[in-house]
Structure formats: C-alpha cells, structure tokens
Amino acid sequence: MKVLIADDEPLAVERLSRLVIQMGHEVVATAHHGQDVLSCIEQNLPDVVLLDIQMPGMNGLECAEQLRHLNPRPAIIFCTAYDQHALEAFKFQAQGYLLKPIAQQDLEQVFHHLTQLTQAQMTGLQQENMDDSKNQRHQIAAKTYRGVELIPLENVYYFLADQKYVTVRHKNGSVLIDETLKDLENEFADRFIRIHRNALVSLDYLEGLELVAAGQYQVRLRELDERLSVSRRHLPSLRECMHQL
C-alpha cells in the first residue's frame, strides 16, 4: 500500500517510515501539518495516512474532517502521544488509533486489517456509515494498556454500569469505557435493551429468563455462563421484547 506520514516531529517521521518500509509498504510522501497533508494526498493518492494529532496550523482532527469529503479517500490511522482524543477521532471512521511510541506489532495488526479490504470496499463502508441517518457507530473504542481497542458491536454481550465507568463484556473479555449507559441506550436502542438501571444486554445474544426467587429474574445470554439481574421495572418490557424475537 502507498502510505503518507503526517507528523511535525522529524524523528517520528523517520521511525514510522522505517516501520512502514519493513512491512513491505511504500512511503509516498511526508507532511508536517494538516494543510500539507491535503496537498500531498492530491498529488500522491495514498491508500493510508498515518496522522499525528498535535501539529501546527491545521491539526490532525481538523485534517481528518477535511478528508471525510474525499472520494475515494485514504484510510486514516491516528498516531499520537495523547489518548484523550480517541472517541473524537473515531467519529471520522478512523481505522486505527495508536499511541506513541508506536509498536511494530500494533502497526502490523492495523495494516493487516486494511489489506483485507480493497479501497473500493473501504469507500463503500465509509459512505454507508456517513449515510446512516442515526449516525450509529459499528464499533466501541476503549482505552487499554495497548492504546485504543476497537470492539465490533456485534461482539458485545452487554454493557454494565459501575459508578463513573461502563464495563463492555464482549467475546474476547471485558474493557472499561468512559461513556454513560443512557447515551449507549439512546444510540443502540435497536440492538440493546435495558434490563436494569445499570445494565443493557444485546438482543442478538438474549436467550431466556430464569426465575431465581419470588418475583426475581435473571437473563440468560448465549455463549455466557454469567447471569444478569432484571429489575421489576424493566421486566414487562423485556418480556414483551422476547415475545417478538
């Protein structure tokens, strides 16, 4: 793939260039600020942009906003020393968010995913996301010790609130996200149902109800041994939903 590297730090550009070449890809251009990125894309038509966020003039997020209007547009992989921009970055359908210093294994993993899609397929998927009237995400971004982990929504069993964080239970384990259960419920109302003031469960994995005591129920989810409590308040709507499944 043809790669454009955008970073205002020469050492970072040099290191990323070395990693990209070692993976067998081509660095077609380098840029030092957002406006420079737009010019380089027009001249070199890269497949991928490795994009820093903190750059002089037009920063990486502002640049990504401009890239949304290109057709076809390159894949965006944010490479930054700061993790606080992750949720905002994925509004631009970024294919990766890596924290500096970039580990070669993490970069290889993102590029491996990109090679599974042709540029035409990627453009089609991105256009589909932009045309979604609800602007609903198809993956959850969670900060982990490796940087930012992307969890496909179809792999999520449930969301469980605990004080200021929400646990995402998915096929490969659990992660914490800094989002509210109410916002998740509003965004994913067609795919998740509230069963308790602190829990949303996926309709795709909802398997049944179990009576554990007088008037007390738990839900059973496919592929999980865990059980989640159902509040009396949400029991009627849950039963009605299960009858429709």
Side-chain angles (χ1 to χ4, degrees):
M1 289 188 290
K2 297 189 296 183
V3 181
L4 167 63
I5 298 174
D7 199 305
D8 62 325
E9 298 178 7
L11 289 179
V13 172
E14 180 182 344
R15 185 171 187 276
L16 280 174
S17 296
R18 186 170 62 252
L19 293 177
V20 169
I21 293 171
Q22 287 175 352
M23 292 190 299
H25 301 288
E26 178 187 4
V27 178
V28 294
T30 60
H32 305 292
H33 55 78
Q35 194 61 49
D36 196 17
V37 170
L38 300 179
S39 300
C40 288
I41 287 177
E42 183 177 352
Q43 296 172 11
N44 298 278
L45 300 177
D47 301 303
V48 182
V49 178
L50 301 182
L51 186 60
D52 189 21
I53 290 181
Q54 299 294 338
M55 295 186 294
M58 181 188 292
N59 65 34
L61 295 176
E62 293 169 336
C63 179
E65 172 64 30
Q66 295 295 316
L67 297 183
R68 295 178 69 172
H69 305 295
L70 298 182
N71 185 21
R73 63 176 173 172
I76 299 174
I77 300 173
F78 285 101
C79 299
T80 177
Y82 306 93
D83 63 2
Q84 67 265 32
H85 302 292
L87 294 179
E88 185 177 2
F90 283 109
K91 293 179 182 177
F92 306 114
Q93 289 89 41
Q95 277 69 46
Y97 190 101
L98 302 177
L99 294 180
K100 297 178 180 178
I102 308 299
Q104 183 169 358
Q105 180 181 357
D106 293 338
L107 190 61
E108 287 177 345
Q109 184 176 358
V110 176
F111 268 74
H112 176 72
H113 173 69
L114 290 179
T115 57
Q116 307 307 304
L117 299 171
T118 65
Q119 185 64 40
Q121 288 173 318
M122 288 173 57
T123 302
L125 288 173
Q126 291 163 348
Q127 187 63 45
E128 179 183 331
N129 287 340
M130 292 176 66
D131 290 342
D132 189 336
S133 60
K134 296 178 66 177
N135 197 27
Q136 185 185 98
R137 289 173 290 171
H138 300 284
Q139 52 194 3
I140 300 295
K143 299 176 185 177
T144 71
Y145 69 96
R146 294 183 59 187
V148 175
E149 180 179 346
L150 295 180
I151 305 155
L153 200 62
E154 61 265 24
N155 289 352
V156 176
Y157 296 115
Y158 61 77
F159 298 104
L160 188 65
D162 181 14
Q163 297 182 2
K164 65 176 294 187
Y165 293 103
V166 169
T167 296
V168 183
R169 180 68 168 93
H170 59 96
K171 286 182 177 289
N172 297 316
S174 300
V175 293
L176 295 177
I177 58 174
D178 188 12
E179 300 189 49
T180 69
L181 207 63
K182 183 63 176 176
D183 287 344
L184 292 167
E185 181 181 24
N186 290 337
E187 183 175 1
F188 304 125
D190 59 333
R191 303 186 65 168
F192 289 80
I193 185 171
R194 188 180 286 267
I195 63 167
H196 196 279
R197 63 179 177 81
N198 69 347
L200 298 172
V201 300
S202 169
L203 295 173
D204 292 337
Y205 295 100
L206 190 57
E207 188 173 64
L209 274 173
E210 295 181 352
L211 181 64
V212 294
Q216 297 181 13
Y217 288 85
Q218 293 180 332
V219 293
R220 186 174 65 253
L221 300 176
R222 289 190 295 106
E223 303 178 5
L224 285 184
D225 293 330
E226 306 161 34
R227 300 291 187 267
L228 297 177
S229 297
V230 180
S231 69
R232 293 186 179 182
R233 175 185 174 186
H234 294 97
L235 182 59
S237 59
L238 178 61
R239 277 177 164 161
E240 181 179 354
C241 178
M242 293 186 67
H243 284 312
Q244 296 175 0
L245 292 179

